[in-house]
Amino acid sequence: MADQSIIDLINQHKKQPNLRFKLKTEAENFTNKLFYTLFDIDTKVDENLSILESSFDELVNLACWELTKPCKKLWNNYVAKLPSVLEKLNLDAEATVECDPASLSIEEVYMAYPGFYAIAIYRLAHELHKMGFPLVPRLMTEYAHRQTGVDINPGATIGDYFHIDHGTGIVIGETAIIKNNVKIYQGVTLGGLYVAKNLQKTKRHPTIENNVTIYASATILGGNTVIGENSIIGGNAWITSSVPANSTVYHTPEIKIKTLPNV
């Protein structure tokens, strides 16, 4: 049995009255059931939506600490958005089938592609984020991050026909804007030029216009940085200023050949 003085000290330093890790677990369970409801052919939509409503009520009880905010009224508005979210996700899946020669079927994309899963959870979380539902959207995308290695902030704005290839190591910041028919490969960062708390309400992350392809490990930084439409950003490129439409940007490595001394 622990000494009572130790117990008292631990209780003394547990200072966050709203820090209930049950919220994290419930958000992950909600996310899984939501994904199955939209995609699994054997899951009955009407039954699962009823279960999800109860789960949402539990999330409201755990996450809505400010009693004046009408979180409970959000559910019907959120459910009304699900058909359009599903329509967008079906377009994302089609984009992956068309872009990736390794994909054997669209079913494979839905079940096996981490990029698609990360996009799906982002889109589902983004709608809650727009409604102002606290914390849960971030828990949803962080759950997907842990599962896939893809970190998409739920505040980002992403258009139609979005394709993530491989996915691992991708970071898409809160104020990033990605338009339609964009392809991103592993290790890409859409980030801020620097971090400061007073920038919280400003656009810190880049804008990617239509029909842009960004190859592996490219880094694009800054809220004023715009990648023009139809551009190709090569692997390992480092970009902190805007790129005109129809551009190709690439990183040129410096190659040094080691010369062995004559023996």
Side-chain angles (χ1 to χ4, degrees):
M1 181 69 180
D3 187 278
Q4 186 60 45
S5 62
I6 296 174
I7 296 171
D8 292 342
L9 283 171
I10 291 173
N11 283 325
Q12 179 184 336
H13 292 292
K14 290 179 72 170
K15 296 181 177 180
Q16 306 303 325
N18 297 312
L19 188 56
R20 296 179 176 90
F21 279 88
K22 183 181 179 183
L23 173 60
K24 185 174 182 178
T25 303
E26 292 295 329
E28 292 172 1
N29 292 337
F30 177 81
T31 301
N32 283 329
K33 190 165 288 293
L34 193 53
F35 188 86
Y36 269 70
T37 301
L38 293 186
F39 296 112
D40 180 54
I41 198 65
D42 293 324
T43 297
K44 294 183 178 180
V45 174
D46 53 347
E47 291 180 7
N48 257 36
L49 283 179
S50 179
I51 296 170
L52 282 164
E53 184 174 9
S54 297
S55 298
F56 192 82
D57 285 344
E58 179 65 13
L59 292 175
V60 167
N61 292 333
L62 292 167
C64 289
W65 308 318
E66 297 179 37
L67 298 178
T68 56
K69 290 188 176 181
C71 294
K72 206 168 180 66
K73 299 178 181 178
L74 294 179
W75 175 249
N76 289 337
N77 293 334
Y78 183 62
V79 170
K81 297 285 187 182
L82 292 181
S84 62
V85 172
L86 181 55
E87 185 178 11
K88 284 178 176 288
L89 289 170
N90 287 335
L91 291 176
D92 296 327
E94 290 174 14
T96 294
V97 169
E98 292 185 13
C99 292
D100 186 3
S103 63
L104 301 177
S105 67
I106 198 163
E107 290 81 5
E108 181 185 24
V109 171
Y110 286 112
M111 290 193 284
Y113 273 59
F116 175 78
Y117 183 80
I119 295 167
I121 304 310
Y122 152 77
R123 292 204 189 279
L124 293 166
H126 181 64
E127 294 301 327
L128 285 175
H129 175 86
K130 289 193 297 184
M131 294 175 183
F133 193 63
L135 189 54
V136 170
R138 186 60 185 268
L139 290 173
M140 292 171 69
T141 55
E142 282 304 309
Y143 178 56
H145 180 196
R146 192 166 78 243
Q147 301 287 94
T148 65
V150 179
D151 183 1
I152 308 177
N153 189 289
T157 301
I158 299 178
D160 295 339
Y161 224 64
F162 183 45
H163 169 57
I164 289 177
D165 205 339
H166 302 295
T168 305
I170 286 175
V171 177
I172 299 174
E174 179 187 23
T175 61
I177 297 174
I178 299 173
K179 297 193 178 176
N180 299 324
N181 196 33
V182 171
K183 296 186 282 291
I184 294 182
Y185 288 75
Q186 70 272 16
V188 166
T189 297
L190 304 182
L193 272 171
Y194 61 96
V195 178
K197 194 65 177 178
N198 62 358
L199 298 176
Q200 187 173 22
K201 300 296 183 181
T202 62
K203 189 178 186 303
R204 309 181 301 281
H205 307 99
T207 296
I208 312 299
E209 297 286 352
N210 296 330
N211 307 313
V212 169
T213 299
I214 307 173
Y215 283 105
S217 299
T219 299
I220 304 172
L221 305 177
N224 294 323
T225 301
V226 178
I227 305 301
E229 64 181 14
N230 307 313
S231 293
I232 297 174
I233 308 301
N236 296 308
W238 179 276
I239 298 173
T240 57
S241 58
S242 294
V243 171
N246 307 304
S247 298
T248 299
V249 179
Y250 56 89
H251 167 75
T252 303
E254 181 180 358
I255 300 173
K256 294 183 178 181
I257 301 173
K258 183 178 180 180
T259 303
L260 296 175
N262 294 324
V263 178

